[in-house]
Amino acid sequence: MRPKLVATLAALPIVLAACGGGGSSGSPAAPTVVDASADNRAVKSGGTLNVALNADPDALDPSISTTLVGREVFANMCEKLYDINPASELVPQLASALPEISEDGKEVTIKLRDGVKFNDGTAFDGEAVKKSLDRHRTWEKSSRQADLEAVSKVEVVDATTVKLTLKRAFTPLTAQLADRAGMIMSPKALDSAGDNFGAGPVCVGPFKFASRTSGSQIVLDKAPDYYDAAKVKLDKLVFKIIVDPNVRAANLKSGDVQVADQLATNTVAGVQADPNLKVVSGGGLGYYGMQINVGNATGSTDKPGPVDSPLAKSPELREAFELALDREQINKTVYNGLHEVDCYPVPVDSAYRTPALQCPKRDLAKAKQLVQASGVPTPIPVKLTSPNDATNQRLAQVVQQMTKEAGFDVTVETAEFVSTLEQGKSGKFQVMLSGWSGRVDPDGNLTNLVTSQGSNNYAGMSDPGVDDPIKHAAATQDTAERAELYSKAMQRAAELRGVVYLYHNKYYLGMNKNVAGVQYFKDGLPRYTTAGFVA
């Protein structure tokens, strides 16, 4: 879709409190939402749980899937070698233990669960693991190649053991195997379906794929061959595609669905006010902000080149642009205070983040000084690309208003979300709203996102002060050493300001109070293995 140029966003009225003050005393308090842990009330066997998804996933093939909503479906039908627990710690899933790593870090031995079957009855073993991992890392269509780039060979030691040989020590590997790169597919289904595996995916999981109606729903049935089937109470999971957040909340209130994912922050309070419903929160590993094109002249994976815009040419103007922003006020005005304000890609509570990483407050006086010192005539033109949904447009208008006070003239180009990604990859933008769903290992929030010629480094940043510490951190297993290296990389990236981070995404899951046993962690993926209706 061709981008639509918007000079102002008057259709979305915004009332800002004094930006430097952190909000009006008359602002309503943000609704209180509890962090999610398993609701351990007893649930009865049987029943169908209807879950509203905020988008239609792409292909349900772990090798090529790229969407968060696809991961939500996979979490309930395609288990991985590893997973995370409520404390965001890596734990075995299809593996029977955490990996054994050689002293030089280049050999990784993985022990597997015994007696496990895929959802088509095929035996799960070392050969099946090798087949899936090799497909992930070598298939030309695979989106997992970067995840497993460090792996040079997968060997089957025996039915319950595989050994991975690495080109170099790569500590984030276990975390990669706790995501789509670690999902193991039925070799029988792969041989039968080939490239079309996603039309009828078969994995190990508490539920098995039954059917899909594009744009409408995905149906999963309880898997009789699941190794822990006694824990699974539901007969069926039905994911209904309901894109509009207001309709999603309305369907939850009416009972047409019993769970609704990713509630818009402006619908959370209304859902909480319903005596039959509750809201729990997950997520927090990901982030949202703005990429400023500083070197993406011909494409994110190409060699950086000059970009012709005032912000691209001047680090001082980029600093002024950031200092004109009030993150706390943005969070209150756009998101009802329901996200976690931050200016770095790794969460504040991460073991891989040092206290040295602090965020600047809004400083309009300094921003104006930097603008004046630049010698660039004001107002300084800036084109901001935004997805065309109402929330992003609202964010864009707040950015527009705040930066105007410092001497910037922001116009907004809106486009379909997929179109904005295409513009980002090709470098056809000046500033772009964008985010990342987040990974448990910090490498997943940095490599390919801020490192030279990374596929998701839309800003085109390229600096050894960013690249080298991230590379070295991936080669060591010492947490404290990794934290120091990541801090150095993030501090340097903050100076370059190819990305201006605004907050860590929190996700809000609305549920009928009659539903229990749902687990919702910091990865934002609801798990329904033990879910059901209260007895």
mmCIF file of all heavy atoms in Angstrom, residues 90 169-176 346 350-354 357 440-447 469-490:
data_model
loop_
_atom_site.group_PDB
_atom_site.id
_atom_site.type_symbol
_atom_site.label_atom_id
_atom_site.label_comp_id
_atom_site.label_asym_id
_atom_site.label_seq_id
_atom_site.Cartn_x
_atom_site.Cartn_y
_atom_site.Cartn_z
ATOM 1 N N LEU A 90 15.912 -20.429 31.619
ATOM 2 C CA LEU A 90 15.850 -21.473 30.610
ATOM 3 C C LEU A 90 15.745 -22.838 31.278
ATOM 4 O O LEU A 90 16.487 -23.147 32.213
ATOM 5 C CB LEU A 90 17.094 -21.412 29.721
ATOM 6 C CG LEU A 90 17.175 -20.174 28.818
ATOM 7 C CD1 LEU A 90 18.584 -20.006 28.263
ATOM 8 C CD2 LEU A 90 16.166 -20.272 27.678
ATOM 9 N N ALA A 169 32.294 -20.326 19.942
ATOM 10 C CA ALA A 169 31.490 -20.378 21.164
ATOM 11 C C ALA A 169 30.315 -19.404 21.036
ATOM 12 O O ALA A 169 30.486 -18.258 20.614
ATOM 13 C CB ALA A 169 32.351 -20.017 22.367
ATOM 14 N N PHE A 170 29.134 -19.864 21.399
ATOM 15 C CA PHE A 170 27.938 -19.031 21.235
ATOM 16 C C PHE A 170 26.972 -19.326 22.380
ATOM 17 O O PHE A 170 26.111 -20.191 22.295
ATOM 18 C CB PHE A 170 27.287 -19.305 19.877
ATOM 19 C CG PHE A 170 26.133 -18.384 19.550
ATOM 20 C CD1 PHE A 170 26.328 -17.014 19.416
ATOM 21 C CD2 PHE A 170 24.856 -18.888 19.383
ATOM 22 C CE1 PHE A 170 25.270 -16.167 19.126
ATOM 23 C CE2 PHE A 170 23.782 -18.053 19.081
ATOM 24 C CZ PHE A 170 23.994 -16.686 18.956
ATOM 25 N N THR A 171 27.136 -18.582 23.464
ATOM 26 C CA THR A 171 26.335 -18.802 24.670
ATOM 27 C C THR A 171 24.834 -18.623 24.460
ATOM 28 O O THR A 171 24.040 -19.348 25.076
ATOM 29 C CB THR A 171 26.830 -17.858 25.793
ATOM 30 O OG1 THR A 171 28.204 -18.156 26.059
ATOM 31 C CG2 THR A 171 26.030 -18.037 27.059
ATOM 32 N N PRO A 172 24.357 -17.707 23.601
ATOM 33 C CA PRO A 172 22.906 -17.551 23.414
ATOM 34 C C PRO A 172 22.220 -18.733 22.730
ATOM 35 O O PRO A 172 21.001 -18.701 22.531
ATOM 36 C CB PRO A 172 22.795 -16.295 22.537
ATOM 37 C CG PRO A 172 24.069 -15.561 22.730
ATOM 38 C CD PRO A 172 25.100 -16.624 22.925
ATOM 39 N N LEU A 173 22.956 -19.770 22.346
ATOM 40 C CA LEU A 173 22.358 -20.874 21.593
ATOM 41 C C LEU A 173 21.184 -21.518 22.332
ATOM 42 O O LEU A 173 20.150 -21.806 21.724
ATOM 43 C CB LEU A 173 23.411 -21.933 21.278
ATOM 44 C CG LEU A 173 22.896 -23.163 20.514
ATOM 45 C CD1 LEU A 173 22.366 -22.761 19.139
ATOM 46 C CD2 LEU A 173 23.991 -24.214 20.379
ATOM 47 N N THR A 174 21.322 -21.743 23.637
ATOM 48 C CA THR A 174 20.233 -22.386 24.390
ATOM 49 C C THR A 174 18.963 -21.549 24.310
ATOM 50 O O THR A 174 17.855 -22.085 24.153
ATOM 51 C CB THR A 174 20.638 -22.601 25.854
ATOM 52 O OG1 THR A 174 21.891 -23.280 25.908
ATOM 53 C CG2 THR A 174 19.595 -23.434 26.588
ATOM 54 N N ALA A 175 19.118 -20.231 24.391
ATOM 55 C CA ALA A 175 17.952 -19.347 24.276
ATOM 56 C C ALA A 175 17.350 -19.423 22.878
ATOM 57 O O ALA A 175 16.116 -19.370 22.718
ATOM 58 C CB ALA A 175 18.340 -17.909 24.609
ATOM 59 N N GLN A 176 18.184 -19.555 21.847
ATOM 60 C CA GLN A 176 17.650 -19.707 20.482
ATOM 61 C C GLN A 176 16.844 -20.995 20.379
ATOM 62 O O GLN A 176 15.808 -21.044 19.709
ATOM 63 C CB GLN A 176 18.796 -19.727 19.466
ATOM 64 C CG GLN A 176 19.642 -18.465 19.412
ATOM 65 C CD GLN A 176 18.932 -17.284 18.762
ATOM 66 O OE1 GLN A 176 17.706 -17.227 18.698
ATOM 67 N NE2 GLN A 176 19.704 -16.335 18.279
ATOM 68 N N VAL A 346 17.351 -3.822 26.635
ATOM 69 C CA VAL A 346 17.362 -4.916 27.606
ATOM 70 C C VAL A 346 16.630 -4.453 28.865
ATOM 71 O O VAL A 346 16.920 -3.369 29.387
ATOM 72 C CB VAL A 346 18.807 -5.339 27.939
ATOM 73 C CG1 VAL A 346 18.835 -6.392 29.046
ATOM 74 C CG2 VAL A 346 19.495 -5.883 26.679
ATOM 75 N N SER A 350 16.878 -7.225 34.076
ATOM 76 C CA SER A 350 17.682 -8.292 33.488
ATOM 77 C C SER A 350 19.021 -8.422 34.215
ATOM 78 O O SER A 350 19.636 -7.424 34.598
ATOM 79 C CB SER A 350 17.939 -8.010 32.006
ATOM 80 O OG SER A 350 18.894 -8.921 31.472
ATOM 81 N N ALA A 351 19.476 -9.659 34.382
ATOM 82 C CA ALA A 351 20.794 -9.901 34.974
ATOM 83 C C ALA A 351 21.906 -9.402 34.063
ATOM 84 O O ALA A 351 23.057 -9.283 34.491
ATOM 85 C CB ALA A 351 20.969 -11.396 35.241
ATOM 86 N N TYR A 352 21.570 -9.110 32.808
ATOM 87 C CA TYR A 352 22.572 -8.685 31.831
ATOM 88 C C TYR A 352 22.594 -7.171 31.639
ATOM 89 O O TYR A 352 23.113 -6.671 30.657
ATOM 90 C CB TYR A 352 22.308 -9.371 30.495
ATOM 91 C CG TYR A 352 22.395 -10.872 30.580
ATOM 92 C CD1 TYR A 352 21.251 -11.637 30.683
ATOM 93 C CD2 TYR A 352 23.624 -11.516 30.595
ATOM 94 C CE1 TYR A 352 21.334 -13.018 30.784
ATOM 95 C CE2 TYR A 352 23.717 -12.887 30.688
ATOM 96 C CZ TYR A 352 22.556 -13.639 30.787
ATOM 97 O OH TYR A 352 22.644 -14.993 30.891
ATOM 98 N N ARG A 353 22.026 -6.461 32.603
ATOM 99 C CA ARG A 353 22.024 -4.997 32.510
ATOM 100 C C ARG A 353 22.633 -4.408 33.772
ATOM 101 O O ARG A 353 22.211 -4.743 34.885
ATOM 102 C CB ARG A 353 20.591 -4.489 32.328
ATOM 103 C CG ARG A 353 20.508 -2.972 32.348
ATOM 104 C CD ARG A 353 19.260 -2.475 31.729
ATOM 105 N NE ARG A 353 19.037 -1.068 32.014
ATOM 106 C CZ ARG A 353 18.079 -0.335 31.484
ATOM 107 N NH1 ARG A 353 17.252 -0.901 30.607
ATOM 108 N NH2 ARG A 353 17.934 0.925 31.800
ATOM 109 N N THR A 354 23.604 -3.525 33.613
ATOM 110 C CA THR A 354 24.271 -2.926 34.770
ATOM 111 C C THR A 354 23.565 -1.636 35.192
ATOM 112 O O THR A 354 22.886 -0.989 34.384
ATOM 113 C CB THR A 354 25.739 -2.597 34.445
ATOM 114 O OG1 THR A 354 25.784 -1.553 33.465
ATOM 115 C CG2 THR A 354 26.480 -3.819 33.933
ATOM 116 N N LEU A 357 23.434 1.997 33.275
ATOM 117 C CA LEU A 357 22.542 2.400 32.181
ATOM 118 C C LEU A 357 21.348 3.166 32.738
ATOM 119 O O LEU A 357 20.399 2.582 33.272
ATOM 120 C CB LEU A 357 22.080 1.172 31.396
ATOM 121 C CG LEU A 357 23.182 0.357 30.725
ATOM 122 C CD1 LEU A 357 22.583 -0.816 29.951
ATOM 123 C CD2 LEU A 357 24.020 1.216 29.783
ATOM 124 N N VAL A 440 14.664 -13.783 25.711
ATOM 125 C CA VAL A 440 15.117 -13.933 27.087
ATOM 126 C C VAL A 440 16.611 -13.685 27.218
ATOM 127 O O VAL A 440 17.070 -13.203 28.249
ATOM 128 C CB VAL A 440 14.713 -15.320 27.631
ATOM 129 C CG1 VAL A 440 15.467 -16.436 26.922
ATOM 130 C CG2 VAL A 440 14.924 -15.395 29.134
ATOM 131 N N ASP A 441 17.394 -14.002 26.185
ATOM 132 C CA ASP A 441 18.820 -13.688 26.190
ATOM 133 C C ASP A 441 19.014 -12.353 25.491
ATOM 134 O O ASP A 441 18.452 -12.124 24.409
ATOM 135 C CB ASP A 441 19.614 -14.777 25.463
ATOM 136 C CG ASP A 441 21.121 -14.605 25.639
ATOM 137 O OD1 ASP A 441 21.702 -13.711 24.990
ATOM 138 O OD2 ASP A 441 21.710 -15.366 26.424
ATOM 139 N N PRO A 442 19.804 -11.442 26.084
ATOM 140 C CA PRO A 442 19.936 -10.099 25.499
ATOM 141 C C PRO A 442 20.485 -10.090 24.075
ATOM 142 O O PRO A 442 20.227 -9.144 23.323
ATOM 143 C CB PRO A 442 20.889 -9.382 26.462
ATOM 144 C CG PRO A 442 21.577 -10.463 27.215
ATOM 145 C CD PRO A 442 20.590 -11.583 27.316
ATOM 146 N N ASP A 443 21.234 -11.122 23.707
ATOM 147 C CA ASP A 443 21.732 -11.187 22.341
ATOM 148 C C ASP A 443 20.582 -11.091 21.341
ATOM 149 O O ASP A 443 20.718 -10.496 20.270
ATOM 150 C CB ASP A 443 22.510 -12.484 22.128
ATOM 151 C CG ASP A 443 23.141 -12.568 20.753
ATOM 152 O OD1 ASP A 443 24.241 -12.020 20.573
ATOM 153 O OD2 ASP A 443 22.519 -13.174 19.850
ATOM 154 N N GLY A 444 19.433 -11.667 21.709
ATOM 155 C CA GLY A 444 18.273 -11.656 20.824
ATOM 156 C C GLY A 444 17.636 -10.294 20.669
ATOM 157 O O GLY A 444 16.813 -10.089 19.773
ATOM 158 N N ASN A 445 17.976 -9.335 21.538
ATOM 159 C CA ASN A 445 17.474 -7.967 21.420
ATOM 160 C C ASN A 445 18.504 -7.024 20.810
ATOM 161 O O ASN A 445 18.241 -5.830 20.666
ATOM 162 C CB ASN A 445 17.070 -7.430 22.798
ATOM 163 C CG ASN A 445 15.702 -7.919 23.237
ATOM 164 O OD1 ASN A 445 15.155 -8.846 22.659
ATOM 165 N ND2 ASN A 445 15.157 -7.316 24.270
ATOM 166 N N LEU A 446 19.681 -7.574 20.455
ATOM 167 C CA LEU A 446 20.764 -6.720 19.969
ATOM 168 C C LEU A 446 21.329 -7.181 18.627
ATOM 169 O O LEU A 446 21.338 -6.421 17.663
ATOM 170 C CB LEU A 446 21.887 -6.679 21.022
ATOM 171 C CG LEU A 446 21.516 -6.012 22.352
ATOM 172 C CD1 LEU A 446 22.525 -6.356 23.428
ATOM 173 C CD2 LEU A 446 21.417 -4.504 22.168
ATOM 174 N N THR A 447 21.812 -8.421 18.546
ATOM 175 C CA THR A 447 22.352 -8.913 17.287
ATOM 176 C C THR A 447 21.280 -8.863 16.208
ATOM 177 O O THR A 447 20.127 -9.240 16.438
ATOM 178 C CB THR A 447 22.868 -10.356 17.455
ATOM 179 O OG1 THR A 447 23.947 -10.343 18.399
ATOM 180 C CG2 THR A 447 23.367 -10.922 16.145
ATOM 181 N N PRO A 469 31.656 -5.595 21.414
ATOM 182 C CA PRO A 469 31.222 -6.106 22.717
ATOM 183 C C PRO A 469 30.109 -7.150 22.612
ATOM 184 O O PRO A 469 30.092 -8.117 23.379
ATOM 185 C CB PRO A 469 30.729 -4.850 23.447
ATOM 186 C CG PRO A 469 31.383 -3.713 22.761
ATOM 187 C CD PRO A 469 31.517 -4.129 21.332
ATOM 188 N N ILE A 470 29.181 -6.964 21.668
ATOM 189 C CA ILE A 470 28.088 -7.932 21.504
ATOM 190 C C ILE A 470 28.635 -9.277 21.045
ATOM 191 O O ILE A 470 28.239 -10.340 21.533
ATOM 192 C CB ILE A 470 27.034 -7.381 20.520
ATOM 193 C CG1 ILE A 470 26.308 -6.186 21.137
ATOM 194 C CG2 ILE A 470 26.034 -8.473 20.127
ATOM 195 C CD1 ILE A 470 25.379 -5.465 20.196
ATOM 196 N N LYS A 471 29.592 -9.239 20.118
ATOM 197 C CA LYS A 471 30.211 -10.469 19.637
ATOM 198 C C LYS A 471 30.962 -11.178 20.756
ATOM 199 O O LYS A 471 30.855 -12.400 20.926
ATOM 200 C CB LYS A 471 31.161 -10.147 18.481
ATOM 201 C CG LYS A 471 31.828 -11.367 17.871
ATOM 202 C CD LYS A 471 32.738 -10.967 16.723
ATOM 203 C CE LYS A 471 33.433 -12.188 16.118
ATOM 204 N NZ LYS A 471 34.320 -11.794 14.988
ATOM 205 N N HIS A 472 31.712 -10.416 21.543
ATOM 206 C CA HIS A 472 32.480 -11.007 22.637
ATOM 207 C C HIS A 472 31.561 -11.547 23.731
ATOM 208 O O HIS A 472 31.856 -12.586 24.333
ATOM 209 C CB HIS A 472 33.450 -9.980 23.222
ATOM 210 C CG HIS A 472 34.528 -9.587 22.268
ATOM 211 N ND1 HIS A 472 35.149 -8.348 22.296
ATOM 212 C CD2 HIS A 472 35.100 -10.250 21.224
ATOM 213 C CE1 HIS A 472 36.048 -8.283 21.328
ATOM 214 N NE2 HIS A 472 36.038 -9.420 20.664
ATOM 215 N N ALA A 473 30.456 -10.851 23.993
ATOM 216 C CA ALA A 473 29.519 -11.307 25.026
ATOM 217 C C ALA A 473 28.909 -12.654 24.672
ATOM 218 O O ALA A 473 28.632 -13.479 25.554
ATOM 219 C CB ALA A 473 28.421 -10.266 25.226
ATOM 220 N N ALA A 474 28.680 -12.888 23.380
ATOM 221 C CA ALA A 474 28.091 -14.151 22.943
ATOM 222 C C ALA A 474 29.060 -15.316 23.097
ATOM 223 O O ALA A 474 28.635 -16.473 23.093
ATOM 224 C CB ALA A 474 27.647 -14.042 21.490
ATOM 225 N N ALA A 475 30.348 -15.022 23.265
ATOM 226 C CA ALA A 475 31.358 -16.078 23.335
ATOM 227 C C ALA A 475 31.732 -16.446 24.761
ATOM 228 O O ALA A 475 32.520 -17.370 24.968
ATOM 229 C CB ALA A 475 32.605 -15.648 22.571
ATOM 230 N N THR A 476 31.188 -15.741 25.757
ATOM 231 C CA THR A 476 31.521 -16.056 27.146
ATOM 232 C C THR A 476 30.283 -16.520 27.896
ATOM 233 O O THR A 476 29.162 -16.106 27.585
ATOM 234 C CB THR A 476 32.128 -14.842 27.868
ATOM 235 O OG1 THR A 476 32.410 -15.188 29.226
ATOM 236 C CG2 THR A 476 31.173 -13.653 27.855
ATOM 237 N N GLN A 477 30.489 -17.372 28.898
ATOM 238 C CA GLN A 477 29.373 -17.878 29.691
ATOM 239 C C GLN A 477 29.228 -17.140 31.018
ATOM 240 O O GLN A 477 28.286 -17.407 31.767
ATOM 241 C CB GLN A 477 29.549 -19.376 29.946
ATOM 242 C CG GLN A 477 29.530 -20.208 28.669
ATOM 243 C CD GLN A 477 29.629 -21.694 28.944
ATOM 244 O OE1 GLN A 477 28.921 -22.222 29.792
ATOM 245 N NE2 GLN A 477 30.500 -22.383 28.227
ATOM 246 N N ASP A 478 30.143 -16.234 31.316
ATOM 247 C CA ASP A 478 30.104 -15.514 32.582
ATOM 248 C C ASP A 478 29.078 -14.375 32.514
ATOM 249 O O ASP A 478 29.213 -13.448 31.708
ATOM 250 C CB ASP A 478 31.492 -14.948 32.903
ATOM 251 C CG ASP A 478 31.532 -14.274 34.255
ATOM 252 O OD1 ASP A 478 31.797 -14.982 35.245
ATOM 253 O OD2 ASP A 478 31.271 -13.055 34.328
ATOM 254 N N THR A 479 28.056 -14.447 33.359
ATOM 255 C CA THR A 479 26.962 -13.477 33.313
ATOM 256 C C THR A 479 27.434 -12.058 33.581
ATOM 257 O O THR A 479 27.037 -11.111 32.885
ATOM 258 C CB THR A 479 25.865 -13.862 34.321
ATOM 259 O OG1 THR A 479 25.346 -15.159 33.979
ATOM 260 C CG2 THR A 479 24.724 -12.855 34.308
ATOM 261 N N ALA A 480 28.281 -11.883 34.590
ATOM 262 C CA ALA A 480 28.753 -10.536 34.927
ATOM 263 C C ALA A 480 29.572 -9.942 33.780
ATOM 264 O O ALA A 480 29.438 -8.753 33.458
ATOM 265 C CB ALA A 480 29.583 -10.578 36.204
ATOM 266 N N GLU A 481 30.415 -10.769 33.170
ATOM 267 C CA GLU A 481 31.218 -10.285 32.046
ATOM 268 C C GLU A 481 30.324 -9.920 30.871
ATOM 269 O O GLU A 481 30.534 -8.890 30.210
ATOM 270 C CB GLU A 481 32.230 -11.355 31.634
ATOM 271 C CG GLU A 481 33.185 -10.895 30.540
ATOM 272 C CD GLU A 481 34.195 -11.961 30.150
ATOM 273 O OE1 GLU A 481 34.236 -13.015 30.811
ATOM 274 O OE2 GLU A 481 34.929 -11.740 29.155
ATOM 275 N N ARG A 482 29.321 -10.751 30.621
ATOM 276 C CA ARG A 482 28.395 -10.445 29.529
ATOM 277 C C ARG A 482 27.651 -9.138 29.804
ATOM 278 O O ARG A 482 27.450 -8.323 28.904
ATOM 279 C CB ARG A 482 27.392 -11.586 29.329
ATOM 280 C CG ARG A 482 28.002 -12.892 28.845
ATOM 281 C CD ARG A 482 26.935 -13.926 28.560
ATOM 282 N NE ARG A 482 26.290 -13.659 27.280
ATOM 283 C CZ ARG A 482 25.078 -14.132 26.942
ATOM 284 N NH1 ARG A 482 24.374 -14.854 27.794
ATOM 285 N NH2 ARG A 482 24.572 -13.852 25.773
ATOM 286 N N ALA A 483 27.232 -8.936 31.039
ATOM 287 C CA ALA A 483 26.502 -7.715 31.388
ATOM 288 C C ALA A 483 27.351 -6.473 31.127
ATOM 289 O O ALA A 483 26.853 -5.463 30.601
ATOM 290 C CB ALA A 483 26.062 -7.764 32.853
ATOM 291 N N GLU A 484 28.637 -6.525 31.497
ATOM 292 C CA GLU A 484 29.521 -5.378 31.264
ATOM 293 C C GLU A 484 29.689 -5.114 29.762
ATOM 294 O O GLU A 484 29.685 -3.966 29.316
ATOM 295 C CB GLU A 484 30.887 -5.633 31.904
ATOM 296 C CG GLU A 484 30.880 -5.576 33.430
ATOM 297 C CD GLU A 484 30.594 -4.188 33.971
ATOM 298 O OE1 GLU A 484 30.809 -3.193 33.244
ATOM 299 O OE2 GLU A 484 30.145 -4.091 35.134
ATOM 300 N N LEU A 485 29.840 -6.183 28.991
ATOM 301 C CA LEU A 485 30.008 -6.026 27.545
ATOM 302 C C LEU A 485 28.741 -5.465 26.896
ATOM 303 O O LEU A 485 28.806 -4.567 26.051
ATOM 304 C CB LEU A 485 30.386 -7.367 26.922
ATOM 305 C CG LEU A 485 31.810 -7.854 27.229
ATOM 306 C CD1 LEU A 485 31.961 -9.331 26.895
ATOM 307 C CD2 LEU A 485 32.838 -7.024 26.455
ATOM 308 N N TYR A 486 27.593 -5.973 27.296
ATOM 309 C CA TYR A 486 26.341 -5.455 26.734
ATOM 310 C C TYR A 486 26.135 -3.997 27.125
ATOM 311 O O TYR A 486 25.616 -3.201 26.324
ATOM 312 C CB TYR A 486 25.158 -6.310 27.181
ATOM 313 C CG TYR A 486 25.097 -7.672 26.515
ATOM 314 C CD1 TYR A 486 24.917 -8.826 27.252
ATOM 315 C CD2 TYR A 486 25.232 -7.788 25.129
ATOM 316 C CE1 TYR A 486 24.861 -10.071 26.641
ATOM 317 C CE2 TYR A 486 25.183 -9.023 24.508
ATOM 318 C CZ TYR A 486 24.999 -10.171 25.265
ATOM 319 O OH TYR A 486 24.956 -11.389 24.654
ATOM 320 N N SER A 487 26.531 -3.635 28.347
ATOM 321 C CA SER A 487 26.397 -2.242 28.762
ATOM 322 C C SER A 487 27.235 -1.325 27.876
ATOM 323 O O SER A 487 26.784 -0.250 27.475
ATOM 324 C CB SER A 487 26.816 -2.079 30.227
ATOM 325 O OG SER A 487 25.846 -2.635 31.083
ATOM 326 N N LYS A 488 28.468 -1.748 27.575
ATOM 327 C CA LYS A 488 29.312 -0.951 26.692
ATOM 328 C C LYS A 488 28.662 -0.773 25.330
ATOM 329 O O LYS A 488 28.649 0.334 24.762
ATOM 330 C CB LYS A 488 30.678 -1.625 26.528
ATOM 331 C CG LYS A 488 31.571 -1.548 27.754
ATOM 332 C CD LYS A 488 32.908 -2.230 27.485
ATOM 333 C CE LYS A 488 33.813 -2.189 28.716
ATOM 334 N NZ LYS A 488 35.098 -2.896 28.463
ATOM 335 N N ALA A 489 28.125 -1.872 24.788
ATOM 336 C CA ALA A 489 27.495 -1.804 23.466
ATOM 337 C C ALA A 489 26.275 -0.900 23.486
ATOM 338 O O ALA A 489 26.082 -0.077 22.571
ATOM 339 C CB ALA A 489 27.109 -3.207 23.009
ATOM 340 N N MET A 490 25.450 -1.027 24.528
ATOM 341 C CA MET A 490 24.230 -0.225 24.581
ATOM 342 C C MET A 490 24.526 1.246 24.820
ATOM 343 O O MET A 490 23.834 2.119 24.294
ATOM 344 C CB MET A 490 23.281 -0.790 25.647
ATOM 345 C CG MET A 490 22.631 -2.098 25.217
ATOM 346 S SD MET A 490 21.307 -2.661 26.330
ATOM 347 C CE MET A 490 22.272 -3.364 27.667
#
